Amino acid sequence: MANIDIPTVSSFQFLKNANLILRNPLPFHRENFEKLGDIFQVDLGFRKNVIFCRDANFAEYVLKKNHKNYHKSTIQTEDMAKYLGHGLLTTDGEEWRKQRRMIQPAFHKKQLAQLLNTIDAAIKTEIDKVETGKAIDIFPIFNDLAFQTVVKSLFSSAAGQEEITRLQYITEAAQKMLVKELRQPFKGWWFKLSGKIKHHLELTQEARDILKKIVADRRQSGQRQDDLLDMLLDARYEDGEAMSEKQLIDEILILFTAGHETTSNALTFTAKLLANHPEIQDKIAAEVKEARANSENHFEFLKNCTYTSQVVEESMRLYPPVYFIDRVNLEDDEFNGIHIPKNSSLLFSLYEIHRNEEHWKNPEGFDPDRFEGGGNKHEPYYFPFGAGPRKCIGNNFAMYEMIMTVAELVSRFKISAPSADIEIQPLITLKPKNAILEFTPR
């Protein structure tokens, strides 16, 4: 069978659009998918190509069926690892498998059920800060909420507010620096010469020192809090060994980063979508009222909030926080007649797959009813938490947190917006922009 040639966007076209791509690459992707089909490649010059794909079957093949041949790119294994260390998000191969097997039990539903009181308290504390009767940017509130939820779930009350504030500042500063490095590689020499990279690496070391002290204090106290830190300290490799201190700190730093930014993005987009659909807000409010009356605990409450869950799922379809997944193949491969040479860079656009009219009726519309019965029926073309063995380990934690937050928010307030427009800022994750909303007591 003859190999099918992948349509190519020339390096000239790429450079011509470089400034637009820097600000927002999604329109450039959409234009080329519509013109060239579900798979195309961009010639970046210097014999370097990137293959872009919105074919859900190809994504499933790479992420599930032949995942051993496809590893993460250097963006995560080197660039992100520089600031976060080598944990689940930034490792590959046997090192990743060993860590995943060890940490997985801490994120089982039964273990997470123990954290729901903590998560609920953190959510309520932050939603108390929502001001009514005026237009406010909701993203900072959700950003604080998501970070506080992760910290309290990890450490209970072990971390003071001063430490939490500093950890949040450092986590966000390192992410901003990484975005600059990735989006402006031609300034790499300046970032080094000016000391910017050195400064941010020193900040990351400060965060590590704060975390080391918290871990040391927990070990010395001899008291259990049954939080995520206790679960990670309890975790053992197959030979009975515990994680090294360095590995433990790496994993905690990654939980901060992966666990708060994606969640705050998703919550912000959900609130913006709800502002445009008051009838959906009313359905959530009615469901939450009934669920509270018929639930003896938080776990039961979550099970009873099926429509609220559908709303979150549909929001992540339209605005997936992780809007692309990148992979590099270790060996030559072939998919449906397309030859993929060894060391090819592949970029799967979840944003496009989630809006592909082949899979979704009225793909641009906000319709939570399409997720009635759960998201599993859309699994072959719905990847809000990734897919395959590397699916996000914290997906249940994130869903519980988001459902509880939306339930709390909508049961307290009616949400409206001065503008129906939803603005996006695609960085490492898909971030919201100008998320201005108004809240009225319900």
Side-chain angles (χ1 to χ4, degrees), residues 196-208:
K196 284 184 180 290
I197 290 176
K198 182 172 179 285
H199 171 66
H200 285 85
L201 290 174
E202 286 169 353
L203 281 178
T204 306
Q205 185 55 51
E206 183 190 337
R208 288 177 174 278

Side-chain angles (χ1 to χ4, degrees), residues 138-361:
I138 194 61
F139 179 73
I141 290 173
F142 283 147
N143 200 39
D144 288 349
L145 181 152
F147 197 85
Q148 291 282 347
T149 303
V150 171
V151 171
K152 300 282 173 60
S153 299
L154 260 165
F155 301 137
S156 301
S157 57
Q161 189 52 51
E162 191 177 326
E163 291 170 314
I164 292 171
T165 302
R166 191 63 183 158
L167 286 169
Q168 185 171 355
Y169 169 77
I170 293 169
T171 303
E172 290 169 3
Q175 284 181 70
K176 285 173 186 170
M177 186 64 224
L178 179 59
V179 168
K180 285 181 184 175
E181 290 180 69
L182 294 175
R183 287 285 173 97
Q184 299 175 304
F186 49 88
K187 283 190 176 179
W189 64 274
W190 167 246
F191 294 144
K192 285 180 184 175
L193 195 65
S194 64
K196 284 184 180 290
I197 290 176
K198 182 172 179 285
H199 171 66
H200 285 85
L201 290 174
E202 286 169 353
L203 281 178
T204 306
Q205 185 55 51
E206 183 190 337
R208 288 177 174 278
D209 291 339
I210 292 170
L211 295 174
K212 282 178 188 175
K213 183 180 181 303
I214 292 170
V215 171
D217 288 348
R218 174 65 58 86
R219 282 183 164 137
Q220 285 166 16
S221 76
Q223 293 182 335
R224 288 190 62 82
Q225 301 290 337
D226 287 324
D227 50 19
L228 282 174
L229 178 57
D230 276 340
M231 294 179 202
L232 293 174
L233 288 170
D234 289 344
R236 292 293 181 271
Y237 294 112
E238 289 177 353
D239 62 4
E241 284 290 308
M243 264 188 278
S244 68
E245 183 180 66
K246 180 188 177 304
Q247 191 68 57
L248 179 64
I249 301 301
D250 284 356
E251 297 298 354
I252 290 172
L253 276 173
I254 282 166
L255 284 173
F256 281 162
T257 303
H260 101 274
E261 181 169 328
T262 49
T263 303
S264 55
N265 293 352
L267 284 170
T268 304
F269 284 124
T270 303
K272 280 288 290 179
L273 287 161
L274 287 173
N276 294 341
H277 295 273
E279 76 286 359
I280 292 177
Q281 292 182 54
D282 291 343
K283 282 185 76 171
I284 293 171
E287 177 181 78
V288 170
K289 186 177 181 180
E290 187 176 341
R292 284 177 175 160
N294 295 301
S295 307
E296 292 184 9
N297 53 52
H298 291 304
F299 206 61
E300 272 187 27
F301 173 74
L302 285 163
K303 283 184 178 178
N304 289 331
C305 285
T306 53
Y307 185 74
T308 309
S309 177
Q310 289 168 220
V311 167
V312 174
E313 295 264 30
E314 172 70 344
S315 170
M316 288 194 295
R317 180 188 71 82
L318 284 168
Y319 299 99
V322 177
Y323 65 104
F324 70 88
I325 294 177
D326 58 337
R327 290 291 187 267
V328 176
N329 53 320
L330 304 179
E331 301 294 340
D332 284 11
D333 203 356
E334 187 177 297
F335 179 80
N336 286 356
I338 298 170
H339 178 64
I340 309 148
K342 178 180 176 178
N343 292 328
S344 292
S345 294
L346 294 98
L347 195 149
F348 295 94
S349 175
L350 304 191
Y351 185 87
E352 286 288 334
I353 291 171
H354 286 185
R355 291 169 180 252
N356 193 326
E357 59 188 14
E358 284 185 26
H359 308 305
W360 308 95
K361 186 180 177 183

Side-chain angles (χ1 to χ4, degrees), residues 100-145:
R100 177 85 182 204
R101 278 197 298 265
M102 183 195 206
I103 295 172
Q104 185 77 55
F107 288 90
H108 283 162
K109 288 183 179 181
K110 283 185 180 177
Q111 294 281 20
L112 294 178
Q114 299 178 48
L115 301 174
L116 293 179
N117 285 339
T118 301
I119 292 171
D120 183 57
I123 288 167
K124 285 176 176 169
T125 298
E126 296 306 314
I127 289 184
D128 285 343
K129 297 175 185 176
V130 172
E131 296 179 74
T132 58
K134 60 187 279 193
I136 60 168
D137 187 345
I138 194 61
F139 179 73
I141 290 173
F142 283 147
N143 200 39
D144 288 349
L145 181 152

Side-chain angles (χ1 to χ4, degrees), residues 19-61:
N19 285 333
L20 293 172
I21 293 167
L22 187 64
R23 286 198 295 273
N24 179 0
L26 296 180
F28 178 75
H29 297 171
R30 169 65 61 93
E31 181 186 340
N32 286 298
F33 280 128
E34 294 300 312
K35 189 165 62 179
L36 303 173
D38 290 345
I39 300 173
F40 67 89
Q41 60 186 345
V42 175
D43 180 355
L44 302 179
F46 307 103
R47 295 186 177 179
K48 189 173 181 183
N49 288 356
V50 175
I51 298 170
F52 288 80
C53 175
R54 68 173 182 186
D55 182 329
N57 293 324
F58 191 13
E60 192 172 41
Y61 172 76

